[in-house]
Amino acid sequence: MTTPQTQVLKIPVIDANTENTKPYGHLLGDDVSKPGLGIPFYQERVLEGENIDFTYRGTATFRTAKILPGYPPIIWLERHMYMTQMFIGLGQASFIMVMAPPNHENGENLPDLKQVQALRFPAGYGLLLHIGTWHDFPIACDRPVVILTANSDEVVTALSQMQKPDEMDQGDVYKISLLKRLNCEIHLDV
């Protein structure tokens, strides 16, 4: 699919941490998010966290997907304007997210490729995306990974109703083809 004129953007895969995740969302990991919720029943043995800021329009849905290993070229990025989508790796395998920060507040309709990063999340970690974060679906590293995804029903319905892979702007999914829009595909430098 790559033509001689297609730009190939090679980006390194970087281990996710609290700081490098901030432009895209909130890292979920081995510590409590926003500790200090005052539930009195287990105070001697449980550090309660406040609610995760998962927002959505319509009905919330939670589903799993098993992703097979491999490092495909990234040719799609999408964003959601009414949902803070969440991806959590289950089991013992890590996963990679390719993302660009939200830019809709500046009136932008395309991701800024200069800000695209690939972050590797350890097994058992997750990410709550900011509204408008450009992202691809998680990528498995060297072995299969099961991802728990917190979504909205309108996003799942819109994606599953597509007859073939194509750009879309419906059901809170704005998905673009990097090849069509930016004459580019992203390759992971692993």
Side-chain angles (χ1 to χ4, degrees):
M1 300 222 223
T2 310
T3 66
Q5 300 85 14
T6 301
Q7 174 190 359
V8 173
L9 177 62
K10 289 192 90 156
I11 58 172
V13 176
I14 301 166
D15 290 332
N17 62 47
T18 303
E19 282 307 306
N20 65 17
T21 304
K22 281 183 183 177
Y24 315 104
H26 179 75
L27 180 68
L28 304 169
D30 60 359
D31 206 355
V32 174
S33 293
K34 299 187 285 183
L37 183 62
I39 296 177
F41 297 99
Y42 312 104
Q43 288 185 353
E44 299 299 315
R45 62 182 184 92
V46 177
L47 180 59
E48 299 279 359
E50 299 285 337
N51 291 343
I52 301 288
D53 295 325
F54 175 58
T55 60
Y56 55 92
R57 182 171 68 180
T59 303
T61 62
F62 295 84
R63 65 185 185 89
T64 56
K66 187 173 196 172
I67 305 163
L68 303 178
Y71 302 100
I74 308 306
I75 57 174
W76 305 100
L77 286 179
E78 68 184 58
R79 69 181 181 190
H80 311 288
M81 302 309 293
Y82 300 101
M83 176 181 59
T84 55
Q85 193 172 34
M86 187 165 42
F87 299 100
I88 300 171
L90 303 177
Q92 302 301 310
S94 58
F95 68 96
I96 296 169
M97 290 289 299
V98 174
M99 300 172 289
N103 58 5
H104 59 280
E105 291 181 349
N106 301 330
E108 300 293 331
N109 285 321
L110 296 172
D112 181 351
L113 294 181
K114 293 180 190 126
Q115 295 189 51
V116 171
Q117 281 199 333
L119 299 180
R120 180 179 22 250
F121 293 83
Y125 276 61
L127 173 69
L128 176 71
L129 295 176
H130 297 311
I131 295 243
T133 295
W134 292 97
H135 62 284
D136 192 24
F137 202 70
I139 298 167
C141 295
D142 55 352
R143 57 188 173 151
V145 63
V146 173
I147 299 290
L148 173 66
T149 304
N151 234 328
S152 68
D153 183 59
E154 73 174 322
V155 167
V156 175
T157 298
L159 289 167
S160 64
Q161 288 179 345
M162 293 295 289
Q163 298 300 310
K164 61 183 175 86
D166 202 354
E167 291 190 322
M168 58 187 295
D169 188 6
Q170 62 195 45
D172 195 25
V173 179
Y174 179 55
K175 183 182 280 285
I176 64 154
S177 163
L178 293 174
L179 294 169
K180 285 183 187 176
R181 299 292 180 125
L182 298 167
N183 194 36
C184 178
E185 65 181 39
I186 298 169
H187 291 206
L188 299 180
D189 191 6
V190 288

